[in-house]
Every structure is written in C-alpha cells, then in structure tokens.
Amino acid sequence: MVEDDQTKHELANEHIPTSSTLYPPYQSVEKSTTKEEIGWEQRDPLQGLPKESLDGTKETEDLPSEPTALSTIQSITPPYSVFSKRKKHLIVVLAACGGFFSPLSANIYFPALTTLARDYGVSSTLINLTLTSYMIFQGLAPTIFGDLADMAGRRPAYIIGFVIYIAANIGLALQKSYAGLFILRCLQSTGSSATIALGNGVVADIATSSERGVWMGYVTSGPMIAPAVAPVIGGLLSEFLGWRSIFWFLLILAVVYLIPLLAAFPETARGVVGNGSIPPQGWNMNLIDYLHSRKHPSSSPAHSASRDDQQSLPRKGKLRFPNPLGTLRVIKQKDAGLLLFYNSLVYTAFYAVIASAPYLFQEIYHFNDLQIGLAFIPFGVGALLAPLTSGRLMDWNYRRVAQSEGFTIDKKRGDDLSKFPLERARLQVAAPMLALGTSATLCYGWIMQHETNLAAPLVMHFLIGLFLTSAFNCMSVMIVDYYPLSPSTATAANNLVRCLVGAGGTAVINIMIESMGRGWCFTFVAAVVAAASPILWVLLKWGPGWREERRVRGERKSEVEEAV
C-alpha cells in the first residue's frame, strides 16, 4: 500500500498539470459552477489528461488530489491566451481608444461651464450638478454593462454603449434647456462610462497577473490622455464655434471609432471564447471574421470540437438580463470593500481639484474658456504618464516580491495567487504615490489661497495628476486581481463606489471653497485621504487571510452544488 501511494505521488508530481492556477483557460473546464463570490471557478485538476499513466496500468483518477501535492506540479495546461502579441496590441489599442470617451466627455465640458451657466441663467453650483449627475451614472451604468460583458461578451457591451452614446450626443447638440442638458448628460454618461470597465475586463482576458500592470497601463493610457487634450479641445470649440460644437465633435468621433471596433475588434470574454481558441457566435464575431467564415465555411473536426467546447462554457454565459446586484457582492467583501472605499476617497480628491479648477482659474487669473482648457495640460500630462509609470513599477515589484518569496511566475498560463502576497506587491507601489499626491493636494490649496504666479498651481496640477492617478491605478489593478474571471463586474463595483463618492465631492467642492477658503478646503480633502490611509496597513496584515477565506467558501459552495 505504501509503495502504491508513493508511486502515485511520484506520477502526480511528474505528469499532472497544476489545478491551483487562478486564471484557467475556459476550454480546459468540463464543468464550472458559479461561486458565492464573483470570479471564483472550481475545476477538476485532472481534466483533460489521458486516462492511462505511462505504464498503461495507472489511471490519473486514482492519483492524490490534495492541494499541497498539486501546488508543486508542472503545468501542461493550454496557454492563458492564444492571441498573438500583435493581436493583443490591436485589442489593447482599441480598448484604450474606447476608454478615452468617458473621461473625454467629462473633461471636454469643463471650459464651457461658465458659458453654459451664463446662457441658461443658472448658478455655477447648478451647472456643477450636471457634473455630479454625470458621475452618478458613470458609477451606475457599469454595474449593468459589466455583468452584460462578463455574460454575453465584450463586443455586445461596447456596441450597445456606443449606440446610446451617439444618440445622447445628438440630443445634447440640439437641446435648448437646462433640464434637457441635465437629463441628456446622464444618458451620455450611461453610454460612455462602461468603456473603462470593459477595457479592464479585456486586459484580464488576455494578460496574466504577472504582466497585467503593463497591459493595464496601456489600456488606461487612453482614459488618461483625455484630461490632457479634452479641455484644450473643449476650450477651442467653445471659444470659436460655440459650446454645441463640443457635442457634434463627440458624435463624429464616436462614429469614426465604431468602424474599426465593428470590423476588427475580436471577442475576448473568457466565458464566450475561452482563451481565444473557441469561435465566437453571432454579434460576438467581428466583421472581418464573419466575412472570412462566409467565404471559407469550416466543417473540420477541429471546428466542430471548438463548437462543442463552447457549449461546455460556464452557464453564466447564457443570455439573461444583466444583474447589477453582482457588484454589491464584491463591495460586501471585507478586503474588496475596504479597498474600494479608500480608492473612492483618492478619486474624490483627484476630481475635487479638476472640478474646481475652471471656477478658480477664472476667479483668480480671469481666464476665458480657451485659457482654462490650456491650463489643464499639465494635469493631463501627469495623468497620462501615471499608468505607464505605475504599470511598470507594479510588474517590477511583482517580480521582486515573487523572488523574495521563492514564487515561480508562469506568464504563459497564469499564477496561483492563493499563496502569493498580492497585497504587498500592489500596495508597496501605491503607498508612496499616495503620500506624494496627498502632499501636492495640500500645497495646491494654499498656493491658490495666496494667488501666486500661475506656474505654481500648474506644477501642482502635474504632480497631482501623476501621483494620485498612479495610486488609483495600482488599487484598480488589485481589484481585478481579486476577481480575474469577472473583471468587468469587479471594475464596475470600483466605478460605482468611486463615482458616487466623487459625485458628492464634486457637488459641494465650490461651496466648501467659498465657506472654508481655498487653503483650508484642500487641507481638509488631503486630511481625509491621510486619515483613511491605515486601511492599506489593514489590507497588508489581514487581506491575504480574507482572500483565502473567500476562496475556501467558494470551493465549499461548489462542492455542495456538485453533490446536488
């Protein structure tokens, strides 16, 4: 008996693929069960292996399945993604361009705020409510689109979002009342705001955790370009063609973007195409692939097998009405909830500076719309550099922590994060960025209080854009790491919390400046972020344990469902 057990253990160590990889390709899954926590999936560790061992007498089904034994086994599972590097670059470029629209639509609007207030005869506080409503729907819409994307695919979510966005821009360009402006801005936000969550989901589809920092940096570079260029474009259009031209411009840009999206963007959702090897169906297929399939219909066994594989994908891929409550299951988790709350405070500090800038620059420096737009350039440049810088730092620190822990990185098939100190790898990069960004916010308030030379607030804008955005990106990547199989839903939860908290900050920031003074207002904003920073220490200390508890609960629930 002892010899037989020892022989089985040796065979297991030599021939069985690891079952503990957190990001398994879907086509290697025979049966998947939805977990209580979004993103966890149970799979048979021996799925896909031959029934006979090398000597023809031992069956893999008899081999030990303890997690401790399997954690040391060499992986022979299919690659995490079959997309080539060139195809990945195409995917990421299109996702980055899609993510450009939500912050573009928000920031291009800033230089025209004072003009709109004058044209509609309303106060700056009421005009700021159109920013607040935009941010509220920026948080709410992805809760539906995120679940839709994880269930039905990324392409359908992109297409529906842009159809809504195009219709809203037509209405905004033609409306003639404050009420119309308010309502249509909500609709515009609904159509465009899902693109950031979808972009993060696309990265999780094609990139393992060890390289996710750089890819996430690429896909968020689109949204980060917007703060740099949008106010300049908005200022030019508003100053020379009128504020309505802003919305005609956004309409034209959206239609132009839809052409390559419909023609070339492939479906990446792992619940629909696995690791990219399963043929997409219906509107999940882009135009080029559709024309190719019509011209060269395939009836090969390999093609049929792929179709069969598609039928065995998780049941959450079945079409149903998107469930926005899925995001609440992310928020209620101890580690994810704390991280989302702190991330929302950082985002609110970031947005408080942006939302108040037109009001402050006009009051202090007497800028017109174009000058206000140009003043946003340093902020945007800092925000543009942030994801590229923080992404490389995150990947470097991931490798450094892995080396110190004796952890082997598998870039091809993904890593088992259950034994990896993920919190340390991400938060060690975020913490210094937070300290520098918070300090810059504090200094900015007193610079504006004393009405110094224009160069000083512009330098602070650059530093705030660089450091607060870097910290925000680190924590956003960490949320995706928590829920790799439902990344769009996890990002939607992130959007919901940060946008609702940020909307509250945007609604009151001008009132706070008028009542507290510029210096004390931004001192308060910086103090709130600093006072909540012990949350990072809590996550470092107890986060890994909470993450493991969530994984175990998910496995137990799967076992119960399989038994039934």
Side-chain angles (χ1 to χ4, degrees):
M1 249 341 247
V2 174
E3 274 186 38
D4 287 344
D5 289 342
Q6 183 176 357
T7 303
K8 293 173 183 177
H9 184 69
E10 289 173 358
L11 284 168
N13 286 339
E14 186 173 357
H15 299 295
I16 303 178
T18 178
S19 66
S20 55
T21 301
L22 189 56
Y23 314 110
Y26 270 104
Q27 68 270 25
S28 66
V29 179
E30 182 178 71
K31 180 180 180 181
S32 177
T33 306
T34 303
K35 301 297 180 190
E36 179 183 13
E37 288 76 25
I38 298 171
W40 286 104
E41 175 182 323
Q42 176 71 18
R43 70 170 182 169
D44 180 359
L46 307 178
Q47 173 68 27
L49 291 180
K51 290 293 182 182
E52 294 186 352
S53 63
L54 291 179
D55 61 6
T57 60
K58 302 289 183 182
E59 292 190 349
T60 58
E61 294 175 340
D62 297 327
L63 296 175
S65 59
E66 291 81 359
T68 53
L70 292 173
S71 63
T72 60
I73 295 168
Q74 296 284 333
S75 174
I76 57 172
T77 56
Y80 183 77
S81 175
V82 299
F83 292 114
S84 66
K85 193 144 190 178
R86 185 176 179 180
K87 193 67 170 281
K88 285 182 180 180
H89 278 110
L90 170 66
I91 293 169
V92 167
V93 166
L94 288 175
C97 291
F100 179 72
F101 282 88
S102 180
L104 173 70
S105 303
N107 288 273
I108 200 172
Y109 186 68
F110 286 142
L113 289 178
T114 54
T115 302
L116 283 164
R118 184 175 62 249
D119 287 356
Y120 286 119
V122 297
S123 66
S124 62
T125 301
L126 278 178
I127 282 295
N128 267 13
L129 286 181
T130 63
L131 297 178
T132 303
S133 63
Y134 187 95
M135 292 181 67
I136 290 173
F137 279 82
Q138 201 173 31
L140 293 175
T143 63
I144 295 176
F145 280 97
D147 188 50
L148 173 66
D150 288 334
M151 169 190 62
R154 314 294 179 213
R155 279 180 55 82
Y158 270 115
I159 293 168
I160 293 172
F162 272 97
V163 169
I164 295 171
Y165 180 74
I166 288 171
N169 279 310
I170 294 173
L172 282 164
L174 299 175
Q175 56 77 30
K176 297 179 180 180
S177 68
Y178 173 78
L181 175 70
F182 186 92
I183 294 170
L184 288 168
R185 279 284 287 176
C186 296
L187 190 63
Q188 184 191 43
S189 177
T190 300
S192 65
S193 59
T195 56
I196 295 177
L198 294 175
N200 289 353
V202 166
V203 170
D205 292 336
I206 65 174
T208 62
S209 57
S210 62
E211 58 184 1
R212 191 165 292 151
V214 168
W215 286 108
M216 196 71 83
Y218 292 154
V219 85
T220 55
S221 62
M224 290 304 108
I225 291 173
V229 301
V232 179
I233 297 171
L236 286 167
L237 292 171
S238 178
E239 186 72 16
F240 298 109
L241 297 176
W243 59 263
R244 293 183 188 276
S245 64
I246 291 174
F247 301 112
W248 289 121
F249 171 80
L250 293 175
L251 168 66
I252 294 168
L253 203 63
V255 171
V256 170
Y257 171 74
L258 267 182
I259 296 172
L261 179 77
L262 294 173
F265 187 78
E267 182 57 69
T268 65
R270 301 181 74 81
V272 177
V273 295
N275 65 351
S277 60
I278 298 175
Q281 303 291 310
W283 64 348
N284 294 107
M285 187 181 299
N286 63 41
L287 183 60
I288 293 175
D289 289 342
Y290 172 75
L291 293 175
H292 184 268
S293 67
R294 290 292 300 271
K295 189 175 181 180
H296 306 285
S298 174
S299 58
S300 66
H303 183 267
S304 300
S306 294
R307 299 291 183 187
D308 292 338
D309 284 342
Q310 192 170 47
Q311 301 304 317
S312 67
L313 290 174
R315 290 191 178 273
K316 71 176 183 178
K318 301 292 184 181
L319 282 179
R320 53 174 171 74
F321 189 80
N323 180 15
L325 298 180
T327 59
L328 299 182
R329 291 198 289 271
V330 176
I331 296 170
K332 75 177 184 178
Q333 302 304 315
K334 288 177 283 190
D335 51 351
L338 283 172
L339 183 61
L340 290 173
F341 172 70
Y342 188 71
N343 207 16
S344 71
L345 296 180
V346 175
Y347 182 79
T348 302
F350 173 90
Y351 224 82
V353 175
I354 299 180
S356 61
Y359 166 72
L360 291 176
F361 279 120
Q362 185 188 47
E363 183 181 58
I364 298 171
Y365 302 106
H366 310 292
F367 280 1
N368 60 30
D369 290 354
L370 177 57
Q371 289 170 321
I372 289 172
L374 293 173
F376 275 92
I377 291 178
F379 201 107
V381 171
L384 172 60
L385 293 176
L388 305 178
T389 304
S390 61
R392 294 189 181 279
L393 285 173
M394 277 189 286
D395 285 354
W396 168 81
N397 199 52
Y398 187 101
R399 294 191 297 268
R400 187 186 67 83
V401 172
Q403 186 176 12
S404 67
E405 294 289 322
F407 182 87
T408 303
I409 296 174
D410 188 348
K411 289 187 177 181
K412 187 175 182 182
R413 297 174 179 85
D415 300 326
D416 173 18
L417 297 182
S418 63
K419 305 298 182 184
F420 183 76
L422 175 66
E423 291 77 7
R424 181 148 56 96
R426 301 308 190 202
L427 296 180
Q428 281 179 345
V429 178
M433 301 292 185
L434 283 165
L436 292 169
T438 305
S439 300
T441 303
L442 174 66
C443 295
Y444 173 74
W446 292 104
I447 285 172
M448 299 305 278
Q449 177 72 29
H450 293 287
E451 301 185 3
T452 66
N453 184 278
L454 178 62
L458 294 184
V459 170
M460 290 301 106
H461 269 199
F462 171 79
L463 296 177
I464 292 169
L466 175 62
F467 294 124
L468 287 187
T469 306
S470 293
F472 177 78
N473 285 342
C474 292
M475 292 183 281
S476 297
V477 170
M478 190 168 160
I479 285 291
V480 173
D481 287 335
Y482 278 167
Y483 297 96
L485 296 183
S486 294
S488 291
T489 302
T491 305
N494 190 15
N495 279 354
L496 177 64
V497 177
R498 72 180 175 90
C499 289
L500 291 182
V501 176
T506 302
V508 301
I509 187 63
N510 285 354
I511 299 172
M512 289 174 61
I513 290 172
E514 291 171 358
S515 59
M516 299 172 65
R518 303 163 195 155
W520 286 113
C521 174
F522 287 102
T523 297
F524 175 78
V525 170
V528 169
V529 176
S533 60
I535 288 176
L536 301 182
W537 176 80
V538 170
L539 289 173
L540 283 171
K541 185 172 179 62
W542 288 291
W546 292 336
R547 187 157 45 95
E548 180 63 13
E549 287 174 9
R550 184 167 67 249
R551 185 187 68 83
V552 171
R553 285 198 306 270
E555 288 186 349
R556 286 175 180 169
K557 189 173 188 296
S558 175
E559 290 171 0
V560 170
E561 290 177 351
E562 286 178 355
V564 173

